[in-house]
């Protein structure tokens, strides 16, 4: 198992790296081939967050926990990961057994669209602003995304907060 340990706003010590590698190494029993694990240790003011992403054959399993001690967070995240791994493995195995004697079914997107409904509509006026101003508005509002009219190009754009804390920008091409 390949383990990558990353610290964001935090310097990960050797002892924490050893304990993390030892505990995450126990997940190796669930995989026949090589799996990749990325553990991100983030410190934000008084809160510490541990995020572990496991990539196995293109399937991602992710678990996070927040608290005040990274060693305790490891003990919280590991059972979450093991539960998700077992759930996905069971689902995959069951699917493989059920599909063994059937033809492959075609994906029908129109069947999924019938179940979804629009439950809320919101209208607002777009004011021209720069990307930096939109990022400031996003921070002030506390939302996960913000739609705005970019002042230079006069196009509608979306700025959003990513799970890693950074910002992303969606620019439509016409």
């Amino acid at each position: 198992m390949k383990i990558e340990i990353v610290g964001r706003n935090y310097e990960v010590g050797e002892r924490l790296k050893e304990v993390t590698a030892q505990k995450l190494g126990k997940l190796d029993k669930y995989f026949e081939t090589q799996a990749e694990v990325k553990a991100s240790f983030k410190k934000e003011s008084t809160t510490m967050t541990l995020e572990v992403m496991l990539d196995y054959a293109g399937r991602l399993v992710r678990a996070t926990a927040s608290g005040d001690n990274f060693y305790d967070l490891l003990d919280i995240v590991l059972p979450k990961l093991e539960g998700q791994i077992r759930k996905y493995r069971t689902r995959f195995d069951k699917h493989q057994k059920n599909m063994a004697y059937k033809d492959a079914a075609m994906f029908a997107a129109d069947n999924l669209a019938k179940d979804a409904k629009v439950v809320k509509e919101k209208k607002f006026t777009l004011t021209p602003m720069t990307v930096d101003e939109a990022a400031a508005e996003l921070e002030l509002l506390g939302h996960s995304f913000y739609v705005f009219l970019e002042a230079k190009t006069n196009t509608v754009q979306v700025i959003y907060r990513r799970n890693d804390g950074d910002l992303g920008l969606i620019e439509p091409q016409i």
Side-chain angles (χ1 to χ4, degrees), residues 1-8 12 16-17 20-21 24-25 34-41 50-55 74:
M1 177 176 291
K2 180 183 171 196
I3 300 173
E4 179 183 353
I5 298 173
V6 178
R8 298 223 163 98
V12 182
L16 183 57
K17 286 182 182 179
T20 303
L24 291 177
Q34 185 73 14
E36 295 180 15
V37 178
K38 181 178 179 182
S40 297
F41 295 90
L50 172 62
E51 176 184 9
V52 179
M53 288 184 58
L54 189 135
D55 183 8
L74 276 170

Side-chain angles (χ1 to χ4, degrees), residues 116-124 143 145:
K117 301 187 251 187
V118 175
V119 294
K120 182 179 178 182
E121 288 186 27
K122 187 173 184 177
K123 296 181 182 182
F124 56 94
H143 292 324
F145 70 94

Side-chain angles (χ1 to χ4, degrees), residues 16 19-20 22-24 26 41 50 52 63-66 69-82:
L16 183 57
V19 171
T20 303
Q22 177 189 13
K23 290 191 177 197
L24 291 177
K26 293 178 183 177
F41 295 90
L50 172 62
V52 179
T64 61
S66 295
N69 184 349
F70 282 127
Y71 294 99
D72 294 338
L73 296 179
L74 276 170
D75 294 333
I76 294 170
V77 167
L78 282 175
K80 287 182 182 181
L81 283 173
E82 287 180 335

Side-chain angles (χ1 to χ4, degrees), residues 9-162:
N9 296 334
Y10 181 76
E11 185 67 33
V12 182
E14 288 301 317
R15 177 71 180 139
L16 183 57
K17 286 182 182 179
E18 290 172 8
V19 171
T20 303
Q22 177 189 13
K23 290 191 177 197
L24 291 177
K26 293 178 183 177
L27 298 175
D28 204 24
K29 64 184 177 186
Y30 292 104
F31 310 108
E32 299 87 30
T33 61
Q34 185 73 14
E36 295 180 15
V37 178
K38 181 178 179 182
S40 297
F41 295 90
K42 301 175 191 173
K43 184 174 183 182
E44 300 168 356
S45 65
T46 60
T47 307
M48 296 181 178
T49 305
L50 172 62
E51 176 184 9
V52 179
M53 288 184 58
L54 189 135
D55 183 8
Y56 172 68
R59 301 192 191 289
L60 290 175
V61 177
R62 179 178 169 265
T64 61
S66 295
D68 57 353
N69 184 349
F70 282 127
Y71 294 99
D72 294 338
L73 296 179
L74 276 170
D75 294 333
I76 294 170
V77 167
L78 282 175
K80 287 182 182 181
L81 283 173
E82 287 180 335
Q84 288 183 18
I85 291 168
R86 279 194 300 271
K87 179 175 79 172
Y88 290 128
R89 296 263 323 240
T90 303
R91 225 183 252 175
F92 180 74
D93 291 345
K94 193 180 290 185
H95 178 73
Q96 290 295 84
K97 289 177 184 175
N98 290 341
M99 296 302 291
Y101 298 106
K102 295 181 182 176
D103 292 332
M106 296 297 290
F107 178 77
D110 54 347
N111 291 342
L112 294 176
K114 291 177 185 176
D115 296 331
K117 301 187 251 187
V118 175
V119 294
K120 182 179 178 182
E121 288 186 27
K122 187 173 184 177
K123 296 181 182 182
F124 56 94
T125 58
L126 295 175
T127 57
M129 61 178 62
T130 65
V131 174
D132 293 332
E133 292 171 340
E137 285 289 320
L138 177 72
E139 294 296 324
L140 288 174
L141 292 173
H143 292 324
S144 58
F145 70 94
Y146 186 74
V147 179
F148 67 100
L149 185 66
E150 212 283 323
K152 294 177 187 170
T153 60
N154 204 27
T155 59
V156 176
Q157 297 182 3
V158 178
I159 191 165
Y160 63 96
R161 177 152 318 279
R162 295 169 38 98

